[in-house]
């Protein structure tokens, strides 16, 4: 378990490399960029755009302030929070599956 957290921390520490790249990261397109790259906007993405908003749009965290350094800190914190949230959800889901599989099926002769 500990090695997974170390791996996540190392990957999160590498996230500032993404801020060195020019343009938009692959898969982080808005609908206008998606139309330009792919040639159309999938219906599900178009529908979700009306109700889905990012928790930290453009990785910005207003409480950190404005500028380059707060922007890079926000980028790093977004990676840590996002990775941690995904890890927590997958772990919870795994525990639910294990609990379901370990319970005897009703009506079985065990």
């Amino acid at each position: 378990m500990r090695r997974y957290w170390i791996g996540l921390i190392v990957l999160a520490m590498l996230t500032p490399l993404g801020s060195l790249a020019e343009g938009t990261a692959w898969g982080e397109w808005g609908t206008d960029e998606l139309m330009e790259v792919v040639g159309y906007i999938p219906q599900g993405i178009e529908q979700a755009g009306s109700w889905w908003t990012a928790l930290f749009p453009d990785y910005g965290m207003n409480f950190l302030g404005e500028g380059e350094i707060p922007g890079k800190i926000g980028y790093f914190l977004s990676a840590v929070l996002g990775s941690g949230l995904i890890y927590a959800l997958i772990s919870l889901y795994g525990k639910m599956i294990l609990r379901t599989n370990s319970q005897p099926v009703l009506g079985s002769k065990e």
Side-chain angles (χ1 to χ4, degrees):
M1 173 85 124
R2 181 180 171 151
R3 66 183 171 163
Y4 296 115
W5 283 109
I6 291 171
L8 280 175
I9 291 169
V10 168
L11 289 174
M13 292 175 73
L14 294 174
T15 59
L17 293 175
S19 65
L20 299 175
E22 292 185 23
T24 304
W26 192 91
E28 292 189 3
W29 307 308
T31 53
D32 53 336
E33 294 162 314
L34 188 61
M35 180 65 151
E36 184 179 313
V37 172
V38 180
Y40 72 100
I41 302 169
Q43 183 180 9
I45 291 177
E46 195 168 24
Q47 291 172 345
S50 64
W51 57 268
W52 175 260
T53 58
L55 184 58
F56 301 115
D58 298 326
Y59 306 105
M61 298 183 180
N62 295 336
F63 61 88
L64 294 174
E66 298 286 328
E68 185 177 344
I69 299 298
K72 292 193 185 302
I73 292 170
Y75 197 77
F76 174 75
L77 289 176
S78 292
V80 171
L81 291 172
S83 299
L85 181 61
I86 290 169
Y87 181 82
L89 290 173
I90 289 172
S91 296
L92 179 64
Y93 184 66
K95 288 179 183 181
M96 289 170 46
I97 289 173
L98 288 174
R99 186 178 319 139
T100 301
N101 289 339
S102 66
Q103 294 177 354
V105 178
L106 293 176
S108 68
K109 304 215 182 216
E110 292 182 39

